[in-house]
Amino acid sequence: MTSRQEEYLIFFAQRSADGCCIANASEEFGVSKATVSHLSASLEQMGLILKKEFGRVELTEQGHRYIQPKLERAKKLEAWMITGLGLAPSLAEHEARRMVVSLREETTKAVIRRWEQGEALRPTQGTDPFLLSLGYGVYHLPFQVRKKDRTELSMGDQGFQKPAILVCREDGCEVFLLPRSFQHRTAAAKARRRTGVLERLWYAQGGIWRESPEEERGNHVIPGEALRCETGAEGHLAKVRIRVRARVPVFRMPESEADLVFHLDLLSPCREEDHVEIQERKR
């Protein structure tokens, strides 16, 4: 198999859960749909993928087995380039795929090993004193998603259920965000609305981008250490810079940065049943 075929196979593996199609790969690699279709036909002949209706692509069991080791290294290289080099997530993902198919396995493993050793020694910023002062429990936490460094709402404000859930335990605090679908209209005249969904979410902590893990129930988690509290004309707020990647059918929206602003003055305890549900999620 050529390195180009492996790069496409990694891409299909990364996006298969999101209904990846020929058009997505064409956009990602900057080539025609005919080029992607021809290359994917060769992968299908090898028994590595299945081409479905509407140009959708799925990996076979054989395809998953073949590419899984390189996929895992690509994910770690992507994390290294985001947190260690400060690259934008979309660029890091692209470069990680190229590295893992072009460099020797021992080379990529050495890079990952050195990065992981450095991460283990990196000092972490502490949780804001206000959050530490809260009693242990579960709280409703109203919030807004605003345009970067502005007070106007971002389109991403539509993309989450509200309020967020703040969980305070002995070992720290975490914020749970549950994405929801939103309506997006392109700039083209008479463009129809399309339903978009959050694909990936990163948050800035100590000047470093970190990806927010997604739970089985779809919640994205942001640690309390990433929130910075401040008091001003709007009252007591907690803020964190986020970077989001969303997608709509046929095309992927560009990544964008925004500010997640939590209104601490409106913080309120959850009901007992909400508390039990959140605790079950953590088990």
Side-chain angles (χ1 to χ4, degrees):
M1 182 183 296
T2 67
S3 59
R4 190 63 167 169
Q5 289 171 327
E6 286 189 332
E7 191 174 352
Y8 273 75
L9 189 58
I10 292 174
F11 174 77
F12 290 141
Q14 290 170 328
R15 305 296 174 79
S16 60
D18 300 321
C20 179
C21 64
I22 298 296
N24 299 139
S26 172
E27 178 186 7
E28 177 73 16
F29 291 99
V31 298
S32 68
K33 294 180 183 178
T35 298
V36 179
S37 184
H38 176 74
L39 190 144
S40 59
S42 64
L43 293 175
E44 189 173 32
Q45 290 175 356
M46 297 178 196
L48 301 175
I49 66 169
L50 291 175
K51 294 170 72 175
K52 302 285 189 174
E53 67 280 358
F54 308 115
R56 289 181 58 248
V57 175
E58 291 182 1
L59 267 69
T60 64
E61 184 178 343
Q62 178 184 348
H64 279 294
R65 281 200 310 270
Y66 177 88
I67 208 63
Q68 190 61 33
K70 290 191 176 183
L71 177 62
E72 291 176 357
R73 294 203 303 278
K75 288 179 179 178
K76 291 182 178 180
L77 288 170
E78 178 188 343
W80 162 62
M81 284 186 276
I82 293 172
T83 63
L85 303 183
L87 296 189
S90 57
L91 177 58
E93 182 183 67
H94 179 79
E95 294 298 278
R97 283 196 304 266
R98 298 187 65 181
M99 287 178 67
V100 83
V101 301
S102 303
L103 301 179
R104 292 180 180 274
E105 180 179 344
E106 55 264 38
T107 301
T108 56
K109 284 184 175 180
V111 171
I112 293 167
R113 185 167 56 251
R114 178 59 62 89
W115 168 66
E116 290 178 336
Q117 289 171 348
E119 281 293 287
L121 299 174
R122 185 191 298 273
T124 58
Q125 65 183 36
T127 302
D128 191 277
F130 175 84
L131 297 177
L132 291 175
S133 70
L134 295 174
Y136 300 155
V138 182
Y139 302 85
H140 283 136
L141 183 55
F143 70 96
Q144 294 176 317
V145 181
R146 299 178 179 178
K147 293 181 180 179
K148 181 180 176 182
D149 294 325
R150 297 164 69 179
T151 58
E152 299 173 56
L153 292 182
S154 164
M155 184 176 64
D157 190 65
Q158 308 173 44
F160 298 94
Q161 291 189 22
K162 296 185 177 182
I165 299 294
L166 173 66
V167 179
C168 294
R169 300 182 305 276
E170 185 176 359
D171 58 347
C173 300
E174 290 178 317
V175 175
F176 292 79
L177 299 166
L178 183 60
R180 68 178 182 184
S181 59
F182 60 92
Q183 294 299 305
H184 171 72
R185 186 191 295 274
T186 60
K190 298 182 180 179
R192 63 188 180 92
R193 288 184 176 274
R194 298 180 182 274
T195 300
V197 292
L198 179 72
E199 189 174 271
R200 297 176 72 178
L201 171 68
W202 294 265
Y203 60 91
Q205 182 177 354
I208 297 172
W209 287 110
R210 299 186 183 277
E211 185 163 7
S212 171
E214 182 179 359
E215 292 193 313
E216 291 183 5
R217 298 196 185 191
N219 287 292
H220 283 264
V221 184
I222 296 180
E225 293 90 338
L227 305 183
R228 295 295 90 191
C229 299
E230 61 182 51
T231 301
E234 294 185 84
H236 202 183
L237 305 176
K239 297 181 179 180
V240 61
R241 178 67 48 82
I242 60 173
R243 191 177 185 97
V244 297
R245 176 189 296 174
R247 61 180 173 83
V248 298
V250 182
F251 71 96
R252 191 184 77 204
M253 299 174 65
E255 290 175 4
S256 60
E257 289 186 25
D259 290 322
L260 200 54
V261 181
F262 298 97
H263 298 273
L264 298 175
D265 291 334
L266 302 179
L267 192 72
S268 62
C270 287
R271 298 172 301 172
E272 182 62 27
E273 50 265 42
D274 295 328
H275 181 267
V276 171
E277 180 182 352
I278 292 295
Q279 294 306 311
E280 288 178 348
R281 294 182 192 180
K282 297 300 294 177
R283 291 174 184 169

